[in-house]
Amino acid sequence: MSSSTLLLVCIILVSSCSWPFLSLAQSSSNPKALLLYVTKDPTTLQYLTHIKQRTPLVDIKLVADIGGQHLWVDCDKPYVSSTYNPVGCKSTVCNDARSYACSNCYISVTAPKPGCYNNTCQIDPDNSITHIATSGQVGQDVISLNSTNGFNPSKVVTVRNFTFACGNNIVLDGLAKGAVGMAGFGRTKVGLPTQFAAAFGFAKKFATCLPAVIFLGDGPYGFELNHQFTSDYLSFTPLITNPRSTATAYKFGEPSYEYFINVTSIKLEDKAVSLNKTLLTIYDTEGGYGGTKISSVNPYTVLESSIFKAVSNTFIKGAAARNITRVKAVSPFEVCFSLKNIHGTRLGASVPLIELVLHDGKTTWQFWGANSMVDVNDNVSCLGFVNGGLNPRTSIVIGGYQLENRLVQFDLEKKRVGFSGLLYDFETSFFIDEDISTWLCGNLAYNWRRHDSIASGNALTLSSFNIASRS
C-alpha cells in the first residue's frame, strides 16, 4: 500500500421530502441529515467524535457508543453553561430517560451546579468499555452540530434542550485521552438518533462509515460524487430484542437497548462451521445470555470460547491449504500468520472468507481479508477475532474493526440493520496526500476537519483537493 492515506468516499445523498418545524430545534429550515466526524484513537482503538455543547458553546470530545443508552459527560470538570437545566423528578423527560430514583445533592455550602441539584432525576452514566457505572443526574442543554446537504457539511444547527446524563470523573477511566464522555446511539428515547429525529423531523435512522463519519437521518447513500447508492445495495436483517439489559447498570426487568441480530450459523469458504447453535440464540432469557450484538466499543469481534475455537481451527486449516504459515500469537489475537505467503486482493488479504448467516439462512454478513486480518507488524498478520471466554453475556459481539470501510445503517423505525459490502468492492477507494493523518469517508469529513468556517458556508468540494484514483 502507498504511504498515502486511503480515503474512502462515503457520501450521503439525503432524501427530498420536507418535514414540519419543531420548536425543539433552532433552524430556519430543518436539515434532512446531520453529520458527526469520527476519528480512531490509535492507542485505545476507540471511535471519537466531537459536538458543541453549552452556552457559550464548548467543543467536547466523546467516545461513540453504538449501543449506548444516552449522551453522558463528566460534570466534575467545571461545567459552565447559562442554559443548563436540571430535569425535575417525575417529569416526562425523567420518564423518557428511564430514571429510577430522585436525586438530592444536599447542598449546604456551595451553590447548585450541573450534576448537583436537589429534586432531580437520577441516572447512571455507564462506561461500556470498563463496565463501570456511577450515579448522575439528568440535565438538558444546548447542542450544536453540522447538517449536511449530501455532498458537503452544511449549516450548523442547534437543539436547545438536548437531554443527557451529567456524571463524574470516575466513569472517565479507560476512555481515550481528552474524551469527557460517551455519545450513545442506542434504542432509547434519549439516544442520539431518537432525540435528533424528534428535533428535526427526519427518520429515526443513523448510518456509520467507520472510522470516519456517522450520519444521523435517512439516505439514500452514494459513493463518489455522481454515484447514488440506494438501500437496494444494502443487505438487511431484522433487529431483535434481548429481554434483559446488557448494560452495567439497569433497572430490573429492563430489556437491552443495544442492537442484537439473529445469527443462525457461521460459514467459512461457503461451508458451515460445526458449533453449538444454542449459543447463537438468546438462550437464557432471564439473564439475557447468548445471541449476537453490534458494538463500536469492542475494537474487534469477540466470540464465545467454543465458537472461537471452531471458527479459528477451520480458518487455520483453510489458511494451510493456501500455504500460509502460522506463527506465534500476538496479543490480543490467538491466531497469527506470516505475511510471506499471504497475497493481496482488492478486498484485502487472500484468506478464507468468514460469513455470518443471518435470519433467513440466505443473507450473510461477509468478512473478507480487509475486515478479518490485522497486520500487527511488517511480518505478521493475525485473525482479527478475539476469544471471549466461556459463558460471556453475549456469544458474538461484532466489533469496530469488522464494521469499518462499509456502510452500516441502523433503522430504528423498521427495526432492522442494513450493511453494504466492503467499499473496496465498489471501487470507490482513493488516495490523498499523506499530510492527512486519519482515515476519512468523503469530502464531508475532510471539509469539516480542514475548515472551521463551514458554518458560514465556506465548505469546499472534493474536487478542490489533490485526489488521485487508486491504481
Side-chain angles (χ1 to χ4, degrees):
M1 180 178 286
S2 164
S3 59
S4 299
T5 302
L6 185 62
L7 171 64
L8 295 179
V9 181
C10 182
I11 300 172
I12 185 172
L13 303 177
V14 295
S15 58
S16 59
C17 57
S18 59
W19 298 88
F21 177 80
L22 298 182
S23 60
L24 183 62
Q26 183 179 0
S27 173
S28 57
S29 60
N30 283 346
K32 299 180 180 66
L34 306 176
L35 170 68
L36 286 171
Y37 172 55
V38 176
T39 58
K40 186 174 182 178
D41 180 69
T43 302
T44 64
L45 306 182
Q46 295 164 14
Y47 301 101
L48 304 174
T49 189
H50 290 255
I51 62 170
K52 293 186 184 296
Q53 187 196 42
R54 313 169 195 182
T55 303
L57 288 172
V58 175
D59 183 85
I60 61 173
K61 181 190 291 186
L62 304 164
V63 176
D65 182 1
I66 285 175
Q69 64 176 324
H70 50 234
L71 165 67
W72 65 260
V73 300
D74 170 25
C75 291
D76 274 353
K77 293 181 179 179
Y79 185 111
V80 179
S81 177
S82 62
T83 49
Y84 175 86
N85 291 310
V87 173
C89 299
K90 299 182 180 180
S91 64
T92 300
V93 175
C94 186
N95 291 332
D96 287 345
R98 303 191 330 279
S99 172
Y100 60 88
C102 194
S103 175
N104 289 290
C105 208
Y106 299 109
I107 301 157
S108 59
V109 179
T110 60
K113 62 180 182 179
C116 192
Y117 280 83
N118 285 339
N119 193 34
T120 302
C121 279
Q122 183 169 320
I123 195 170
D124 294 332
D126 182 358
N127 183 326
S128 53
I129 296 168
T130 61
H131 304 291
I132 293 174
T134 186
S135 61
Q137 293 191 340
V138 181
Q140 292 183 320
D141 211 337
V142 167
I143 277 187
S144 291
L145 70 166
N146 282 92
S147 60
T148 177
N149 64 5
F151 293 98
N152 293 290
S154 189
K155 62 189 175 183
V156 172
V157 294
T158 300
V159 177
R160 291 193 293 268
N161 295 304
F162 196 91
T163 303
F164 70 103
C166 214
N168 57 54
N169 57 22
I170 294 175
V171 282
L172 291 181
D173 289 347
L175 299 191
K177 184 178 180 180
V180 297
M182 302 185 78
F185 293 81
R187 302 163 68 182
T188 69
K189 292 183 178 180
V190 291
L192 268 68
T194 299
Q195 287 204 69
F196 283 121
F200 297 111
F202 52 61
K204 284 196 293 184
K205 299 179 182 181
F206 71 98
T208 64
C209 191
L210 297 177
V213 287
I214 297 175
F215 302 105
L216 291 145
D218 201 359
Y221 302 92
F223 298 106
E224 302 185 69
L225 293 180
N226 298 312
H227 183 171
Q228 183 169 328
F229 195 82
T230 69
S231 60
D232 293 338
Y233 289 83
L234 300 179
S235 298
F236 286 94
T237 191
L239 288 168
I240 62 175
T241 300
N242 188 327
R244 291 293 178 264
S245 177
T246 47
T248 305
Y250 56 91
K251 291 167 38 175
F252 180 76
E254 183 178 55
S256 176
Y257 43 77
E258 297 191 78
Y259 295 93
F260 279 79
I261 59 175
N262 184 14
V263 172
T264 59
S265 64
I266 300 176
K267 296 195 298 184
L268 263 79
E269 298 195 293
D270 207 34
K271 294 182 179 179
V273 176
S274 179
L275 50 82
N276 181 0
K277 290 189 176 181
T278 299
L279 296 171
L280 302 180
T281 67
I282 300 173
Y283 60 88
D284 179 357
T285 56
E286 290 298 318
Y289 282 81
T292 300
K293 72 177 182 181
I294 302 170
S295 169
S296 59
V297 297
N298 290 83
Y300 304 101
T301 292
V302 182
L303 304 176
E304 184 273 343
S305 183
S306 67
I307 297 175
F308 175 83
K309 290 177 181 177
V311 170
S312 60
N313 287 339
T314 307
F315 190 93
I316 291 167
K317 292 177 182 177
R322 299 174 187 234
N323 295 319
I324 299 173
T325 303
R326 189 177 178 187
V327 297
K328 184 178 179 180
V330 179
S331 181
F333 308 114
E334 294 187 13
V335 178
C336 298
F337 302 91
S338 168
L339 278 166
K340 185 175 181 180
N341 290 331
I342 297 180
H343 302 291
T345 72
R346 192 175 73 243
L347 301 179
S350 178
V351 294
L353 170 64
I354 301 173
E355 297 178 272
L356 302 182
V357 182
L358 302 176
H359 64 288
D360 57 2
K362 299 177 182 179
T363 305
T364 64
W365 193 325
Q366 298 180 330
F367 301 120
W368 298 89
N371 276 139
S372 66
M373 299 298 291
V374 180
D375 291 349
V376 295
N377 56 48
D378 292 339
N379 301 309
V380 176
S381 187
C382 298
L383 179 63
F385 291 71
V386 177
N387 189 336
L390 293 171
N391 200 34
R393 190 69 176 277
T394 305
S395 299
I396 301 176
V397 180
I398 301 174
Y401 188 74
Q402 280 68 41
L403 300 176
E404 289 183 3
N405 305 322
R406 66 174 79 233
L407 193 69
V408 184
Q409 183 194 71
F410 299 81
D411 188 336
L412 281 69
E413 293 178 350
K414 293 184 178 180
K415 298 180 180 179
R416 64 181 187 172
V417 176
F419 50 92
S420 73
L422 281 171
L423 300 190
Y424 310 113
D425 203 20
F426 296 95
E427 298 183 344
T428 57
S429 299
F430 292 81
F431 287 111
I432 193 165
D433 294 341
E434 64 179 331
D435 65 328
I436 307 302
S437 61
T438 186
W439 289 71
L440 305 174
C441 276
N443 60 321
L444 297 154
Y446 182 68
N447 289 341
W448 191 9
R449 179 176 175 84
R450 294 294 293 268
H451 299 276
D452 293 329
S453 56
I454 289 174
S456 60
N458 293 331
L460 304 180
T461 63
L462 187 62
S463 59
S464 303
F465 305 108
N466 180 25
I467 297 177
S469 63
R470 184 181 184 184
S471 57

